[in-house]
Amino acid sequence: RNSVVINSQGPGVVVLHCSYVNTLLGCSGTASLVITVGDRLQIDMPDELCQGSFNYEFYNDAGIIHPITWQLDGPNGFQSQGNGAIVSENLTESGTYILSVIDGENCFQPRIFKVLESPSAPTSIVGVTSTVCAGLQQLFSCDALPGFIPHWSVTNGVIVGSPSGHQVTVDFSTDPSVSEYQLSVWYEGPTCNSLPYTVTLYRYTPSIYFNIDSLVACGSSYSNFSINETDMDFYEWTIIPSSAGSVSSGQNTNAVTILWNQNSGATINPQVKLRVRKCNVEVSDTMTISVLGTPNVILNPNTDYTVCANEPFQTTFGFSVGTQYDHYTIDFGDGSIPVDYTFALNSTNN
């Protein structure tokens, strides 16, 4: 026969010898051919990939990773070459690509595959605020994208129910050491997923900043206290010690009026304490107030004194407690109208 089929059992060098006889001319001869049998290579990769980076290995029939020289051709004149057992690329353009082995020593059927365009990431999450309540379930949602399903994840919290879909319910951790959360959403399709859109949320902690008329009050007078936050779950105002006064109105609201009790002694410094709670977090704070005691007036001279009509009489007076008084009133005891004076520690009157 003048043809032959060779079935090699593996890669290597095969020498083909041929002997021939020409019966008509009565002559004969021999010929030989050196054949290099290349390794039959494979690569496990899907027919469709998503935009981005990928790494795949070449291997032979024995499963041994095999280094070669490869070439990748793609749309718009794209071409890339490499040496080694791994083909690695970052493909950002969608389209059809062809992967070939070009070293001439190995057998590989060019692999044709497609790179699909990945969907754009979500751009916002509905329901997001700068702070969240720990331990209270909150609802979030994102825009729908035809052909893709939103998927969700949360750090320092749990998703209540399914983690996929247009809406998701999240329960944020109440662990006292946790103050920050991350919520992510991305689109998943039959082949390609989008990049995630992530927001950072912070645990809500109530704060107390007192608004007050004055830090000084008199006994038997009222003082107004308030904070700006009107949406707390709980307000509790107390006075320390309780004998110093009482909450006249506004308990369990953000604004109260306090009536200070009359104090006949020295100035006292009670505290107004506010305890509030919101989002399962409770905080408290205090403010110190000076409540002036009721003073005794000290006259000089402080004994009976005789003076004639129309004759000047001079006296000085002071107070046994404090100096923060607005004015004083003198009643001469003769049926005349008492006289108010702006504050001074001495006075002369007829």
Side-chain angles (χ1 to χ4, degrees):
R1 299 181 60 181
N2 63 352
S3 64
V4 66
V5 175
I6 299 175
N7 183 15
S8 175
Q9 299 300 311
V13 176
V14 175
V15 180
L16 178 64
H17 296 278
C18 177
S19 299
Y20 60 91
V21 176
N22 189 322
T23 57
L24 180 62
L25 299 177
C27 60
S28 63
T30 61
S32 63
L33 177 68
V34 178
I35 302 173
T36 299
V37 180
D39 229 348
R40 185 169 59 184
L41 301 182
Q42 303 178 55
I43 188 169
D44 286 336
M45 62 183 301
D47 294 330
E48 294 181 335
L49 299 176
C50 300
Q51 290 171 312
S53 300
F54 71 89
N55 295 278
Y56 292 101
E57 295 177 335
F58 290 97
Y59 62 93
N60 60 18
D61 289 343
I64 299 173
I65 297 175
H66 201 293
I68 45 84
T69 300
W70 53 265
Q71 179 173 300
L72 183 63
D73 296 281
N76 299 320
F78 173 87
Q79 187 176 84
S80 177
Q81 293 182 357
N83 295 294
I86 298 176
V87 55
S88 176
E89 280 293 338
N90 181 25
L91 301 180
T92 59
E93 188 170 0
S94 60
T96 300
Y97 291 78
I98 301 175
L99 178 63
S100 306
V101 172
I102 60 173
D103 58 12
E105 298 179 357
N106 297 280
C107 303
F108 179 76
Q109 181 68 32
R111 184 63 184 272
I112 300 174
F113 63 93
K114 291 183 178 181
V115 172
L116 305 180
E117 185 175 359
S118 298
S120 299
T123 58
S124 64
I125 296 176
V126 179
V128 166
T129 56
S130 58
T131 58
V132 294
C133 290
L136 298 180
Q137 296 182 7
Q138 294 181 243
L139 181 67
F140 300 94
S141 63
C142 69
D143 293 334
L145 184 64
F148 295 87
I149 299 175
H151 283 253
W152 302 79
S153 69
V154 63
T155 302
N156 293 328
V158 295
I159 293 176
V160 181
S162 174
S164 62
H166 172 63
Q167 292 183 329
V168 70
T169 300
V170 179
D171 192 350
F172 295 99
S173 172
T174 58
D175 186 333
S177 65
V178 173
S179 61
E180 184 176 305
Y181 311 90
Q182 285 190 329
L183 180 64
S184 298
V185 61
W186 63 94
Y187 296 122
E188 290 192 6
T191 303
C192 301
N193 304 333
S194 74
L195 294 173
Y197 174 78
T198 301
V199 293
T200 299
L201 307 169
Y202 299 92
R203 183 174 185 167
Y204 177 82
T205 301
S207 58
I208 296 176
Y209 299 97
F210 287 104
N211 303 314
I212 182 174
D213 297 337
S214 173
L215 292 174
V216 179
C218 296
S220 300
S221 69
Y222 293 93
S223 295
N224 295 312
F225 295 81
S226 67
I227 61 171
N228 294 332
E229 291 77 7
T230 60
D231 58 350
M232 299 292 180
D233 300 328
F234 170 83
Y235 301 84
E236 182 187 66
W237 298 83
T238 55
I239 301 169
I240 305 171
S242 59
S243 59
S246 60
V247 177
S248 176
S249 64
Q251 185 64 277
N252 202 31
T253 70
N254 72 305
V256 294
T257 298
I258 291 178
L259 172 61
W260 299 109
N261 293 335
Q262 189 66 258
N263 174 36
S264 60
T267 297
I268 62 173
N269 296 291
Q271 290 183 325
V272 176
K273 180 180 179 180
L274 173 61
R275 185 164 61 99
V276 297
R277 183 174 62 246
K278 186 179 179 180
C279 293
N280 295 322
V281 180
E282 186 174 296
V283 297
S284 63
D285 200 1
T286 60
M287 174 169 283
T288 300
I289 303 298
S290 294
V291 178
L292 305 180
T294 303
N296 294 319
V297 178
I298 302 173
L299 292 173
N300 184 27
N302 59 0
T303 59
D304 292 340
Y305 190 83
T306 301
V307 64
C308 297
N310 297 318
E311 180 180 335
F313 168 73
Q314 183 174 5
T315 184
T316 61
F317 63 91
F319 302 102
S320 60
V321 177
T323 59
Q324 301 182 39
Y325 303 102
D326 299 324
H327 64 279
Y328 61 94
T329 300
I330 294 180
D331 186 344
F332 298 100
D334 59 358
S336 61
I337 298 175
V339 180
D340 282 346
Y341 293 89
T342 55
F343 187 78
L345 285 180
N346 58 71
S347 178
T348 301
N349 206 311
N350 293 329

